[in-house]
Amino acid sequence: MTEARAKARPEPGESRLAQGFALFAECLLTGVWIAVAALPLVTYPAAFAAGARHLGRRLAHESGGRREFVADFRAAVRRGWLVGVAGWIALAAVWVDVQAVRSGLPGGPLVGAVGVLALIGAAVAGLRAAAAWRPGSSWRTLLARAARRTVLDPAGSFLIVGGLAVVACSAWFSAPLAVAVLGAVAAAAVAVEERYRRR
């Protein structure tokens, strides 16, 4: 117990500013790792889970680097790829809804708005589930619990939506910038989950 507390303390002589910049740099690096791990397109939930675990270790002042990230990613992707497939199916369904709105079908705007809101809610729940993932966790259980937290903790959910908006704006401005910002979104999800746990 004493050893764990000693590990959790910041390095002596390290200022808060230095700690903040170190964490910011770690977020940028983690964003690149997440982007590379998510290249197969269906592996993005596992990539975010591994990134969130890495940032959680960094916040707890525990050792861990690329090897630990890769090990977490391999463990998370075993069932996490199914979550990735489900996400793409949900995105395709919302795209169909948006096309219905554009074609002028009766009730189209309402159906489109509901579809977009449901997709945003699913993205937030997915990020919250990824932030709570641990080796051996069931994605189905994580997603069910994360969906409840998404509704019961609207402030935390809006923070994650803000992070997703930053990624979207960054991608619109410059795609490489969006890659780095992915780490900040993972950090936001970790912070939101920790905040909810301590309530």
Side-chain angles (χ1 to χ4, degrees):
M1 189 69 148
T2 311
E3 265 182 54
R5 282 181 186 164
K7 281 183 184 176
R9 287 191 194 118
E11 292 297 320
E14 190 177 17
S15 70
R16 285 183 157 260
L17 184 63
Q19 291 173 37
F21 273 116
L23 182 58
F24 177 68
E26 202 68 38
C27 285
L28 296 180
L29 176 62
T30 304
V32 174
W33 289 352
I34 289 170
V36 170
L39 280 176
L41 299 181
V42 296
T43 57
Y44 64 89
F48 270 102
R53 283 267 295 162
H54 173 72
L55 291 171
R57 281 191 295 268
R58 178 69 176 87
L59 289 169
H61 300 281
E62 296 172 2
S63 60
R66 184 173 42 87
R67 286 182 186 175
E68 288 78 8
F69 176 89
V70 171
D72 284 336
F73 174 73
R74 285 180 178 162
V77 81
R78 287 189 189 111
R79 296 276 185 221
W81 70 271
L82 293 169
V83 179
V85 170
W88 286 112
I89 291 170
L91 182 63
V94 170
W95 184 81
V96 169
D97 282 348
V98 169
Q99 296 310 307
V101 171
R102 286 186 172 177
S103 67
L105 287 176
L110 177 62
V111 171
V114 168
V116 169
L117 288 174
L119 183 65
I120 292 169
V124 170
L127 283 168
R128 293 187 83 140
W133 179 87
R134 298 291 178 269
S137 298
S138 159
W139 278 101
R140 181 177 293 182
T141 304
L142 286 173
L143 287 166
R145 291 177 180 166
R148 281 194 294 275
R149 291 193 302 275
T150 298
V151 175
L152 296 174
D153 180 26
S157 298
F158 280 122
L159 285 171
I160 295 175
V161 169
L164 292 171
V166 169
V167 170
C169 292
S170 300
W172 177 74
F173 181 70
S174 170
L177 184 60
V179 167
V181 173
L182 288 174
V185 174
V190 169
V192 163
E193 285 299 292
E194 184 64 19
R195 171 184 163 273
Y196 185 83
R197 189 180 66 80
R198 291 185 178 184
R199 283 192 344 177

